[in-house]
Amino acid sequence: MSLVPSSLFGGRRTNVFDPFSLDIWDPFQDFPFTSTALSAPRSEVAKETSAFASTRIDWKETPEAHVFKADLPGLKKEEVKVEIEEGKVLQISGERSKEKEEKNDKWHRVERSSGKFLRRFRLPENAKADQVKASMENGVLTVTVPKEEVKKPDVKSIEISG
């Protein structure tokens, strides 16, 4: 159960209290300012921040691994970079180029995002950061981070005398 309504985050499924997410969130992104100075078109930096935080990534944990899936439609694997920083932070980044504008083109709507994106996740202690694997199929990036096996304590049966 979330204490913060999802409508504050544009419907994104996120948890601001999640210590593993390192996203940058712009709290004023969709805020309806009344002043004309404040409601001016957003800067290029703000647009990049928006694209930066809007790349959708799911993270699930299985008994064997942490699995991250990112929707990256229209990108080739060469345009995406997966890195592990300091052995504990998974970083997924890339860039979607703008479509070339021809002199005679008349654009009616531009909704597809372009620009750089970057998402970072702090990996848990049980992650084997040196064995990460990544694959991309049909615009979906899958990053698998194996987990260390949890050692179960040895149980020794003792015969009861008496």
Side-chain angles (χ1 to χ4, degrees):
M1 182 175 133
S2 176
L3 299 175
V4 180
S6 64
S7 61
L8 279 178
F9 301 102
R12 289 194 346 227
R13 291 179 61 205
T14 187
N15 182 348
V16 294
F17 304 108
D18 183 359
F20 296 111
S21 180
L22 299 174
D23 293 345
I24 293 179
W25 171 61
D26 178 4
F28 302 108
Q29 176 178 344
D30 297 315
F31 195 79
F33 292 108
T34 55
S35 165
T36 55
L38 292 174
S39 63
R42 295 177 57 186
S43 71
E44 200 60 36
V45 173
K47 287 178 188 173
E48 278 194 27
T49 301
S50 175
F52 167 22
S54 68
T55 301
R56 308 283 192 211
I57 298 180
D58 294 338
W59 174 3
K60 75 175 177 180
E61 183 176 353
T62 68
E64 299 81 27
H66 295 275
V67 181
F68 298 82
K69 288 195 175 206
D71 287 339
L72 303 172
L75 290 183
K76 299 175 188 142
K77 65 181 183 179
E78 297 82 20
E79 298 171 313
V80 179
K81 189 188 288 187
V82 177
E83 301 171 295
I84 300 291
E85 293 180 342
E86 300 173 10
K88 58 186 172 191
V89 176
L90 171 67
Q91 179 171 298
I92 300 171
S93 62
E95 184 170 3
R96 181 175 289 119
S97 302
K98 277 188 175 180
E99 196 168 316
K100 271 185 154 181
E101 291 186 31
E102 299 294 328
K103 185 177 179 180
N104 296 328
D105 289 348
K106 180 179 178 183
W107 290 84
H108 293 280
R109 185 179 279 300
V110 178
E111 292 183 343
R112 298 183 321 157
S113 63
S114 63
K116 296 177 183 179
F117 65 90
L118 172 75
R119 294 290 305 273
R120 300 175 74 197
F121 299 91
R122 187 179 320 276
L123 296 173
E125 293 293 323
N126 66 351
K128 291 182 177 179
D130 58 334
Q131 296 178 16
V132 175
K133 293 194 182 345
S135 64
M136 191 145 165
E137 186 176 335
N138 295 328
V140 178
L141 172 71
T142 302
V143 179
T144 305
V145 183
K147 292 171 31 179
E148 293 177 6
E149 292 180 33
V150 177
K151 295 180 182 174
K152 296 178 181 174
D154 292 334
V155 177
K156 184 178 174 183
S157 188
I158 300 172
E159 189 176 316
I160 301 173
S161 62

